[in-house]
């Protein structure tokens, strides 16, 4: 279901993020309302994100600088700060990394992602501290109506995705719009997460279902 009014809580969260392309359609987008995805401000923001991703995904320090893994990690962290809404110095994302806007992504401390992370951040995507992603994880905060007419008109909407602290998301996992995964969860490889997962759970399958609980850690 789409929202009919602006989400004041989502707007307040967005004000704490960097690089936000503030405009009427952006406010509708992160509020879960139908919006025009080809509004000029949004188009420009997506173009900027793609240009950034091209640089990030193809960059490697020249040999004459005597690079090592630690220096590369610092350079990548600096690059991430130029596009993501909120990111800590301890975040490490292996390229390639694909985003829609970047500004709607908030990453906690010691977040790590293996190769080929895709985040379609047409709504706010919040990931907690100490989370680990396997390769080829996809987070979709963008969606469309099943009504064909609105899709023909380039109208879409988004739903936020939230992942708590200390989560491990296996390779090839797909997380759909509107999902909240609680803290301390493990999502098995190749799962499709269509509904919320309670904290301290192991969920697997397509659609993902909770198969066991784990001991909470203070």
């Amino acid at each position: 279901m789409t929202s009919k009014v602006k989400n004041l809580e989502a707007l307040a969260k967005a004000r704490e993020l960097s690089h936000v392309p503030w405009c009427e359609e952006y406010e509708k987008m992160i509020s879960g309302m139908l919006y025009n995805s080809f509004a000029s401000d949004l188009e420009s923001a997506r173009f900027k994100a793609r240009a950034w991703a091209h640089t990030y995904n193809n960059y490697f320090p020249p040999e004459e600088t005597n690079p090592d893994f630690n220096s590369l990690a610092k350079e990548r962290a600096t690059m991430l700060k130029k596009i993501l809404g909120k990111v800590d110095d301890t975040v490490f994302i292996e390229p390639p990394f694909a985003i829609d806007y970047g500004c709607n992504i908030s990453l906690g401390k010691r977040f790590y992602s293996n190769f080929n992370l895709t985040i379609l951040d047409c709504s706010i995507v919040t990931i907690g501290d100490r989370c680990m992603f396997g390769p080829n994880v996809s987070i979709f905060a963008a969606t469309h109506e099943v009504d064909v007419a609105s899709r023909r008109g380039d109208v879409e909407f988004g739903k936020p995705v939230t992942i708590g602290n200390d989560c491990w998301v296996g390779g090839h996992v797909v997380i759909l719009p509107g999902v909240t995964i609680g803290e301390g969860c493990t999502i098995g490889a190749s799962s499709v997460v269509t509904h919320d997962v309670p904290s301290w759970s192991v969920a697997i399958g397509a659609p993902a279902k909770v198969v066991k609980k784990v001991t909470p850690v203070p």
Side-chain angles (χ1 to χ4, degrees), residues 27-218:
E27 292 186 8
K28 290 161 64 176
M29 178 176 76
I30 63 166
S31 294
M33 302 172 67
L34 292 175
Y35 72 96
N36 175 13
S37 59
F38 285 95
S40 59
D41 289 325
L42 297 184
E43 265 195 334
S44 296
R46 289 196 302 273
F47 182 88
K48 176 185 175 183
R50 282 147 181 74
W52 175 89
H54 176 78
T55 300
Y56 185 83
N57 293 334
N58 291 279
Y59 173 77
F60 207 81
E63 290 186 9
E64 56 266 26
T65 63
N66 296 314
D68 58 18
F69 189 83
N70 289 330
S71 64
L72 176 61
K74 290 179 180 179
E75 288 188 67
R76 284 181 176 165
T78 298
M79 296 172 74
L80 289 168
K81 288 182 177 181
K82 294 180 179 179
I83 196 71
L84 298 188
K86 186 177 181 181
V87 59
D88 187 79
D89 287 335
T90 56
V91 166
F92 189 88
I93 300 176
E94 293 278 13
F97 175 33
I99 55 177
D100 251 346
Y101 296 93
C103 62
N104 294 324
I105 300 170
S106 176
L107 302 177
K109 297 177 182 178
R110 289 175 53 194
F111 172 78
Y112 170 81
S113 175
N114 213 311
F115 308 108
N116 208 34
L117 172 62
T118 296
I119 302 180
L120 303 186
D121 58 313
C122 295
S123 189
I124 294 177
V125 175
T126 306
I127 301 173
D129 297 337
R130 301 173 300 278
C131 289
M132 300 185 299
F133 284 13
N136 301 299
V137 169
S138 296
I139 297 176
F140 303 146
T143 188
H144 302 268
E145 290 189 305
V146 294
D147 178 63
V148 174
S150 69
R151 299 204 303 269
R152 284 184 176 179
D154 298 321
V155 175
E156 60 185 61
F157 66 105
K159 291 184 178 180
V161 172
T162 302
I163 300 175
N165 296 334
D166 298 297
C167 288
W168 174 25
V169 178
H172 294 273
V173 166
V174 176
I175 300 171
L176 296 186
V179 163
T180 293
I181 297 174
E183 62 181 330
C185 287
T186 297
I187 310 298
S190 295
S191 296
V192 180
V193 187
T194 61
H195 293 90
D196 292 355
V197 178
S199 296
W200 312 108
S201 300
V202 178
I204 61 174
K209 295 181 180 180
V210 174
V211 295
K212 67 178 292 185
K213 302 291 286 185
V214 298
T215 303
V217 176

